[in-house]
């Protein structure tokens, strides 16, 4: 059965602005659906439990993997992250466009199974800007920021595998660029 909705994947270094962009996109295009990932990472203090993510134990996550309940998953920053399959597949069948905000490895796994998915890579204007955004967000220790910065270099090296690279210099401009592409 052909899917009717589009799968829109947003990746990029931690701190590049993916979450902020998704928030702005759904404000302006309320017909878009954002998939909620499942993770073993503990909630941050400003994260309402089970709103931004479904927070689960490692045993619960591994059971979801075994039962083929995840469309894709990856292990990074010492935790598992994955996309619940049923919700996404149901929404696509209903004709909804679904956004996945996931890392590069997960995005490329999804592209293999859904070749028509639209891959967006979001990047900050510079390494310094990325560091400043992570620092300002205040959710990670300096050590964890450094781990995220190191991973950002690996992710940036794969941006040529994406359909669209979006420079998140001005939020307004970046969101506008993505909206223009989606509306084409
Ligand atoms: P990600 O989801 O990619 O990890 P966030 O959306 O959490 O990144 O953004 C990281 C920080 O950068 C947040 O504090 C956010 O407010 C800020 N930010 C996002 N986009 C911009 C921008 N264009 N200019 C300046 N700061 C931004
Ligand atoms: P954070 O811990 O900052 O919320 O997310 C860390 C990284 O995990 C980000 O790059 C984010 O895109 C990625 N991520 C979040 N959810 C998923 C998911 O469901 N699958 C994969 N593969 N990565 C995810």
């Amino acid at each position: 059965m052909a899917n009717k909705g589009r799968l829109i994947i947003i990746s990029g270094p931690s701190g590049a602005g993916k979450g902020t962009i998704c928030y702005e996109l759904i404000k302006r295009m309320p017909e878009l659906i954002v998939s909620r990932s499942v993770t073993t990472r503990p909630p941050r203090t400003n994260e309402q439990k089970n709103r931004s993510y479904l927070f689960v134990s490692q045993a619960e996550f591994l059971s979801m993997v075994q039962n083929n309940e995840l469309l894709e998953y990856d292990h990074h920053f010492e935790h598992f992250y994955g996309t619940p399959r049923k919700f996404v597949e149901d929404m696509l069948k209903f004709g909804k466009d679904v956004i996945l905000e996931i890392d590069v490895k997960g995005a490329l796994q999804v592209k293999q199974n859904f070749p028509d998915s639209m891959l967006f890579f979001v990047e900050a204007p510079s390494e310094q800007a990325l560091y400043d955004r992570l620092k300002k967000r205040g959710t990670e220790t300096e050590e964890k920021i450094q781990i995220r910065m190191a991973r950002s270099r690996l992710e940036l090296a794969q941006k040529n595998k994406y359909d669209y690279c979006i420079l998140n210099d001005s939020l307004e401009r970046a969101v506008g660029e993505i909206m223009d592409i989606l509306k084409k």
Side-chain angles (χ1 to χ4, degrees):
M1 180 173 33
N3 292 318
K4 288 185 274 172
R6 294 177 296 179
L7 205 40
I8 300 156
I9 301 181
I10 305 207
S11 307
S14 177
K18 304 178 296 294
T20 312
I21 286 178
C22 286
Y23 180 78
E24 290 299 323
L25 275 177
I26 51 167
K27 260 197 340 206
R28 295 161 207 211
M29 296 176 74
E31 67 276 19
L32 293 176
I33 304 282
V34 179
S35 156
R36 187 180 53 157
S37 295
V38 53
T39 184
T40 58
R41 160 167 91 55
R44 296 176 180 136
T45 42
N46 62 341
E47 263 172 346
Q48 289 187 30
K49 212 164 168 35
N50 299 341
R51 271 197 68 187
S52 35
Y53 283 104
L54 180 62
F55 295 98
V56 298
S57 67
Q58 180 151 319
E60 286 170 316
F61 192 98
L62 295 177
S63 143
M64 292 178 89
V65 172
Q66 275 217 315
N67 296 330
N68 199 26
E69 288 171 37
L70 300 180
L71 199 65
E72 63 73 38
Y73 71 95
D74 189 32
H75 186 268
H76 46 262
F77 304 141
E78 300 172 354
H79 294 291
F80 286 102
Y81 295 79
T83 304
R85 177 190 298 284
K86 187 171 183 322
F87 176 80
V88 173
E89 291 185 344
D90 284 351
M91 288 300 130
L92 292 175
K93 274 185 223 149
F94 287 140
K96 298 282 185 192
D97 289 343
V98 183
I99 302 186
L100 308 185
E101 190 209 312
I102 61 179
D103 87 313
V104 170
K105 220 160 130 197
L108 298 177
Q109 278 180 54
V110 175
K111 184 79 174 178
Q112 273 195 339
N113 298 327
F114 295 84
D116 292 339
S117 47
M118 301 170 78
L119 262 58
F120 291 87
F121 188 93
V122 171
E123 61 179 313
S126 65
E127 208 170 299
Q128 183 64 46
L130 184 67
Y131 175 84
D132 292 343
R133 287 180 189 181
L134 281 170
K135 194 84 186 162
K136 186 167 149 241
R137 191 171 73 184
T139 53
E140 259 70 38
T141 59
E142 180 61 29
E143 188 194 349
K144 289 201 167 145
I145 289 180
Q146 290 307 331
I147 293 170
R148 283 168 187 251
M149 294 297 296
R151 188 176 166 88
S152 80
R153 291 171 204 125
L154 301 177
E155 295 196 307
L156 279 164
Q158 305 217 59
K159 72 175 180 181
N160 61 345
K161 297 182 178 153
Y162 278 66
D163 300 312
Y164 307 97
C165 286
I166 308 293
L167 181 66
N168 181 18
D169 41 5
S170 127
L171 184 61
E172 276 302 308
R173 205 205 51 73
V175 171
E177 189 179 346
I178 297 177
M179 283 176 62
D180 286 348
I181 295 168
L182 294 181
K183 285 179 176 166
K184 249 183 223 162

